[in-house]
Amino acid sequence: VGLAPLEQRIYMIDFGFSKRYIDPQTGRHLEESNKKRDFIGNYWFSSVAVHCKGKSELTYVYSERSLSSRVFHVVPTRRDDMEALALMLIHLLTPGGLSWTRNGVPKTDSAHDRLKREKAAARPDELCRGLPSVFEEFLRYCRRLGFAERPDYERWRDEFMDLAVENGFPE
């Protein structure tokens, strides 16, 4: 949190695991990979695709068996950053936060598995209950994005700016 004259600003930026999604040599988007990789990121806010399932399980219908049988994580890309943002915003605006954050950072494999199952099973309409509809729409949009698809940043910036103005927050 930094204080600016007459206002307070909150910054939620962490570039610790950043990487280029466009190859500077070829100008092409990075490719999906079946190469086994460890999870890197924030347990609470990383996208479901990156955190909770393997590349071969890219539907939003889950079972305990499919979650536990996963052997690798999908390569994160812009869609996953957008979903992480959606989850962070929902967490900040929900009394008590997202349900899977309430027990703290998981310290055991079984606690981590419980967190993943709960996160993977959470539906956007349940997560966003009581929030303006734009939050549910945003989360659903993020989860529908393709691997290399460019998110419509301008649309969502405008949607949230309009929401802020409607609720009495200056631009």
Side-chain angles (χ1 to χ4, degrees):
V1 176
L3 294 177
L6 302 176
E7 62 185 58
Q8 182 178 9
R9 295 181 186 260
I10 297 175
Y11 301 94
M12 295 183 298
I13 300 172
D14 181 353
F15 295 109
F17 299 119
S18 295
K19 65 179 181 179
R20 294 183 185 272
Y21 62 89
I22 300 292
D23 183 313
Q25 306 298 334
T26 66
R28 294 175 52 196
H29 195 282
L30 66 93
E31 295 184 16
E32 291 183 274
S33 171
N34 287 333
K35 181 179 172 188
K36 185 175 179 177
R37 57 189 302 278
D38 292 328
F39 171 76
I40 297 176
N42 181 297
Y43 292 136
W44 293 345
F45 306 121
S46 61
S47 74
V48 170
V50 167
H51 186 204
C52 299
K53 56 194 171 147
K55 181 179 175 293
S56 63
E57 304 166 281
L58 288 178
T59 64
Y60 281 89
V61 176
Y62 308 97
S63 69
E64 278 190 43
R65 188 171 180 277
S66 68
L67 287 172
S68 61
S69 66
R70 158 203 71 65
V71 294
F72 59 89
H73 294 275
V74 284
V75 175
T77 189
R78 295 174 287 185
R79 66 168 180 202
D80 302 297
D81 293 342
M82 295 288 279
E83 183 175 341
L85 172 61
L87 292 174
M88 226 182 306
L89 292 172
I90 294 163
H91 175 74
L92 290 171
L93 295 170
T94 302
L98 294 168
S99 60
W100 58 83
T101 68
R102 295 181 189 139
N103 293 323
V105 175
K107 305 256 189 285
T108 64
D109 286 346
S110 64
H112 190 213
D113 287 344
R114 272 192 311 277
L115 182 153
K116 290 191 295 184
R117 280 194 302 274
E118 185 176 349
K119 183 178 182 180
R123 296 188 346 236
D125 60 319
E126 293 170 349
L127 292 177
C128 300
R129 186 172 288 126
L131 297 177
S133 62
V134 68
F135 289 94
E136 181 181 342
E137 293 165 22
F138 181 53
L139 181 56
R140 287 185 189 282
Y141 170 85
C142 295
R143 289 183 173 178
R144 283 192 308 264
L145 285 168
F147 179 79
E149 191 173 351
R150 181 189 184 278
D152 189 346
Y153 298 114
E154 294 77 18
R155 170 191 171 189
W156 292 105
R157 182 190 158 279
D158 291 346
E159 292 272 356
F160 285 105
M161 288 295 290
D162 290 347
L163 180 65
V165 170
E166 285 172 23
N167 284 279
F169 295 97
E171 270 191 64

